[in-house]
């Protein structure tokens, strides 16, 4: 998982670490007094040019008195460009890439570090902080929300076909059952051939009640019936499948808007696959514009070597990642935690 991105970040750590060490050596050299032999020499070594922001006096004072050195932008500039290229090659969206690079600059440039510090650790901490800031938007405690909300809680799942949306609903149903909640599933994808049969097989395997109509029926009516059933039978959670659609299919998008308008769900969750990279990020942005959702579930995260979607999607939409699908079984669903992702990027 994230192997390619880990490799690129590891290479960047070495490059920047080396640049910072050279920066440190240059400062130490600059603060050494000039000896008599040096004074008689025909040529003198010119001290490195100092950015206007940081004077030579400041650098020498930091090195001599405080045993620190100041990280300068000129020593990192080329390598920051390489970081930008590495992130883009890992399917991190351009605005997110630019924000991460900006955050790294803020974390490093102009800061003071102790002479002899572990430069690799300095760079890793800067990268962790920079990435953390773009994946930690709008923190949302999903379990606390479910627990405190009046029952039944209705959750509508949206996204395009083929991304694992229906299987994700089954995984969520299993998770709710393990937490002691009673669940009803609404088979509101009446557009795709075989969709009702697919969700019906999952419901039977999990022992969960399925509310369905015939193919081509009104999805909003199916979700409504599922909610009414849940109220009558005192069920806790209604999970609604919907037809996978592209944002360009106006009729299906209008149908989805009707489902949400008529039933006023507690949560709308966007589902896409992590391996889709920038395509998933763009679809999330377009869906969020059409039917604003509350959070994202990324499927097939275990097969994603790049990690671009996981890093980009929350920052792009302003909505949190809630869960990650990491396998084929019903239990292969993990709650998203920014620290979990960061630990895997830098393990």
């Amino acid at each position: 998982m994230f192997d390619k991105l880990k490799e690129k970040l590891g290479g960047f750590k070495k490059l920047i670490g080396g640049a910072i060490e050279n920066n440190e050596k240059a400062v130490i050299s600059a603060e050494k007094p000039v000896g008599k032999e040096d004074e008689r020499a025909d040529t003198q070594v010119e001290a490195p040019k100092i950015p206007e922001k940081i004077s030579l006096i400041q650098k020498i004072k930091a090195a001599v008195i405080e045993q620190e050195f100041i990280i300068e932008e000129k020593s990192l500039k080329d390598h920051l460009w390489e970081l930008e290229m590495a992130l883009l090659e890992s399917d991190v969206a351009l605005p997110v890439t630019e924000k991460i690079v900006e955050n790294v600059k803020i974390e490093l440039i102009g800061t003071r570090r102790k002479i002899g510090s572990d430069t690799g650790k300095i760079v890793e901490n800067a990268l962790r902080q920079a990435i953390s800031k773009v994946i930690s938007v709008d923190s949302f405690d999903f379990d606390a929300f479910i627990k405190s909300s009046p029952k039944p809680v209705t959750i509508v799942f949206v996204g395009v076909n083929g991304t694992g949306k229906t299987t994700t609903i089954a995984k969520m149903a299993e998770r709710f059952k393990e937490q002691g909640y009673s669940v009803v599933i609404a088979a509101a994808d009446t557009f795709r051939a075989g969709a009702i049969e697919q969700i019906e097989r999952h419901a039977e395997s999990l022992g969960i009640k399925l509310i369905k109509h015939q193919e081509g029926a009104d999805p909003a009516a199916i979700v409504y019936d599922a909610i009414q059933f849940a109220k009558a039978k005192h069920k806790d959670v209604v999970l609604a499948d919907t037809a996978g659609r592209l944002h360009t299919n106006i009729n299906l998008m209008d149908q989805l808007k009707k489902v949400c308008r008529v039933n006023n769900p507690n949560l709308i969750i966007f589902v896409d696959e992590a391996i889709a990279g920038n395509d998933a990020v763009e679809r999330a942005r377009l869906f969020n514009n059409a039917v604003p959702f509350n959070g994202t579930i990324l499927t097939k995260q275990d097969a994603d070597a790049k990690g671009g979607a996981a890093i980009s999607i929350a920052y792009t939409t302003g909505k949190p990642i809630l869960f990650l699908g990491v396998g084929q079984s019903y239990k292969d669903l993990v709650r998203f935690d920014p620290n979990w992702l960061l630990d895997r990027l830098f393990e």
Side-chain angles (χ1 to χ4, degrees):
M1 194 184 301
F2 311 127
D3 289 343
K4 290 185 180 179
L5 182 55
K6 282 194 292 186
E7 181 181 345
K8 291 181 183 296
L9 291 177
F12 176 75
K13 274 175 56 178
K14 291 179 181 178
L15 285 173
I16 290 290
I20 292 175
E21 287 177 1
N22 291 335
N23 187 180
E24 178 183 353
K25 290 173 183 176
V27 170
I28 294 172
S29 298
E31 60 90 9
K32 288 180 180 178
V34 179
K36 292 182 179 180
E37 293 183 2
D38 295 316
E39 290 176 344
R40 292 194 302 268
D42 293 332
T43 59
Q44 292 184 336
V45 178
E46 187 177 325
K49 292 182 180 179
I50 313 301
E52 292 181 3
K53 296 180 184 176
I54 305 169
S55 70
L56 179 59
I57 298 299
Q58 286 177 302
K59 291 176 65 178
I60 293 176
K61 179 183 176 183
V64 176
I65 300 175
E66 297 162 2
Q67 289 296 294
E68 294 178 334
F69 66 97
I70 303 171
I71 300 175
E72 300 177 72
E73 182 171 5
K74 69 175 185 180
S75 64
L76 306 183
K77 188 175 180 180
D78 290 342
H79 299 311
L80 288 172
W81 182 85
E82 291 175 28
L83 171 62
E84 186 171 344
M85 292 301 101
L87 291 170
L88 290 172
E89 289 170 2
S90 296
D91 280 346
V92 179
L94 177 59
V96 183
T97 292
E98 292 173 339
K99 187 63 177 177
I100 291 173
V101 172
E102 178 188 336
N103 288 342
V104 169
K105 289 172 67 174
I106 291 170
E107 290 289 331
L108 290 177
I109 294 172
T111 61
R112 294 175 175 236
R113 307 289 174 168
K114 285 292 182 184
I115 292 174
S117 299
D118 182 343
T119 55
K121 185 56 68 175
I122 289 172
V123 178
E124 180 176 320
N125 288 339
L127 281 169
R128 286 182 69 103
Q129 289 298 318
I131 296 173
S132 177
K133 287 176 183 177
V134 301
I135 63 176
S136 302
V137 298
D138 192 22
S139 180
F140 176 70
D141 191 331
F142 181 85
D143 290 332
F145 177 86
I146 299 299
K147 184 176 181 180
S148 62
S149 296
K151 306 300 184 290
V153 177
T154 302
I155 305 175
V156 171
F157 293 81
V158 302
V160 300
N161 277 333
T163 58
K165 177 163 51 66
T166 302
T167 303
T168 296
I169 292 171
K171 290 180 178 182
M172 290 294 292
E174 169 72 5
R175 187 176 189 274
F176 280 127
K177 280 185 62 180
E178 288 186 343
Q179 293 176 327
Y181 295 112
S182 52
V183 181
V184 177
I185 295 177
D189 181 357
T190 60
F191 179 76
R192 178 171 61 91
I196 296 173
E197 289 78 5
Q198 182 186 5
I199 194 71
E200 191 168 29
R201 286 194 297 272
H202 286 303
E204 289 175 355
S205 297
L206 294 166
I208 290 174
K209 176 65 177 180
L210 179 75
I211 303 299
K212 63 177 182 176
H213 291 187
Q214 71 276 14
E215 190 174 311
D218 182 1
I222 299 170
V223 176
Y224 178 84
D225 287 350
I227 294 171
Q228 297 309 308
F229 176 88
K231 289 178 177 178
K233 300 296 182 179
H234 305 290
K235 301 294 184 181
D236 298 313
V237 181
V238 176
L239 304 179
D241 193 11
T242 61
R245 63 206 75 209
L246 293 172
H247 67 284
T248 51
N249 191 320
I250 296 174
N251 291 336
L252 285 178
M253 288 305 295
D254 286 343
Q255 190 183 74
L256 180 59
K257 291 176 183 178
K258 180 183 176 183
V259 168
C260 297
R261 184 176 65 251
V262 169
N263 295 289
N264 191 26
N266 301 89
L267 292 173
I268 301 172
I269 296 178
F270 174 76
V271 181
D272 211 316
E273 52 188 7
I275 56 176
N278 269 316
D279 288 343
V281 176
E282 180 64 8
R283 288 193 291 255
R285 186 184 67 81
L286 294 167
F287 263 86
N288 193 46
N289 290 340
V291 183
F293 53 76
N294 302 98
T296 298
I297 296 177
L298 287 176
T299 66
K300 307 175 187 177
Q301 188 64 68
D302 52 311
D304 181 24
K306 293 186 175 182
I311 290 175
S312 303
I313 208 162
Y315 182 82
T316 302
T317 63
K319 307 296 174 63
I321 299 174
L322 302 175
F323 296 93
L324 299 174
V326 293
Q328 299 300 314
S329 77
Y330 290 138
K331 298 184 184 298
D332 288 331
L333 187 74
V334 298
R335 188 172 174 179
F336 179 76
D337 177 6
N339 289 324
W340 177 90
L341 174 60
L342 291 168
D343 287 345
R344 276 150 186 79
L345 287 176
F346 296 103
E347 63 186 0

